[in-house]
Amino acid sequence: MNTFSIRRYQPIDFQEVIGVFNSNVPDFFDPSETQDLFHYLEQEIEDYFVVIKDAQIVGAGGINYDEDQITARLSWDFLDKTLVQNGAGTLLTQHRILHVQQMPHIQRLIVRTSQMAEGFYQKMGFQVKERVPDYWAKGFDMVLMEYQG
């Protein structure tokens, strides 16, 4: 049985989170995105969480809030590549959905993902709103999805 816990990201987690991210390059992320993640972790975090299993970080994912004050965005989520389809992604996504639902002013939850994770988010209640080919990098489309509940 897989037992996971979730806690807030702390700066001391930086290298471990980067290691988990790198387990997904180049299958789910383009190598050029590593520098974007560095910038995000150092400058753009609003709410960010890590998934823990056996005292190790095995995943991470965040939430950012748009200037309109009513839109939340799931951001920079990934799991250790060896742990796909074990419930950790569902747990992390549900945790963030519930976190957003505690904020009465938030009226819209979106995610900008790639075609590789589109099916996962559909199962979680998101619907495709827009698709932009080669947005993140060549072969990595941007799929804008909105949570329908």
Side-chain angles (χ1 to χ4, degrees), residues 23-51:
S23 81
N24 290 280
V25 175
D27 295 336
F28 297 101
F29 292 93
D30 187 76
S32 67
E33 294 180 272
T34 305
Q35 287 301 318
D36 295 337
L37 178 59
F38 286 179
H39 179 79
Y40 176 84
L41 292 173
E42 292 169 349
Q43 307 286 330
E44 296 177 7
I45 281 183
E46 291 182 81
D47 284 323
Y48 203 68
F49 304 95
V50 292
V51 181

Side-chain angles (χ1 to χ4, degrees), residues 70-140:
I70 61 168
T71 302
R73 286 176 283 118
L74 299 186
S75 53
W76 284 108
D77 54 341
F78 43 85
L79 298 171
D80 185 293
K81 187 178 165 183
T82 64
L83 293 179
V84 177
Q85 297 189 349
N86 64 3
T90 299
L91 182 70
L92 177 60
T93 303
Q94 288 172 338
H95 179 84
R96 293 180 296 156
I97 290 169
L98 289 171
H99 186 82
V100 167
Q101 288 174 335
Q102 313 266 327
M103 302 176 180
H105 65 285
I106 299 294
Q107 300 171 24
R108 183 172 179 241
L109 176 59
I110 61 172
V111 63
R112 295 184 323 153
T113 189
S114 72
Q115 71 272 26
M116 282 72 116
E118 177 180 342
F120 169 79
Y121 283 110
Q122 283 178 325
K123 289 180 199 163
M124 297 298 300
F126 288 79
Q127 289 184 346
V128 175
K129 297 297 181 183
E130 182 183 358
R131 185 181 311 273
V132 181
D134 298 331
Y135 180 88
W136 305 111
K138 184 160 180 55
F140 292 86

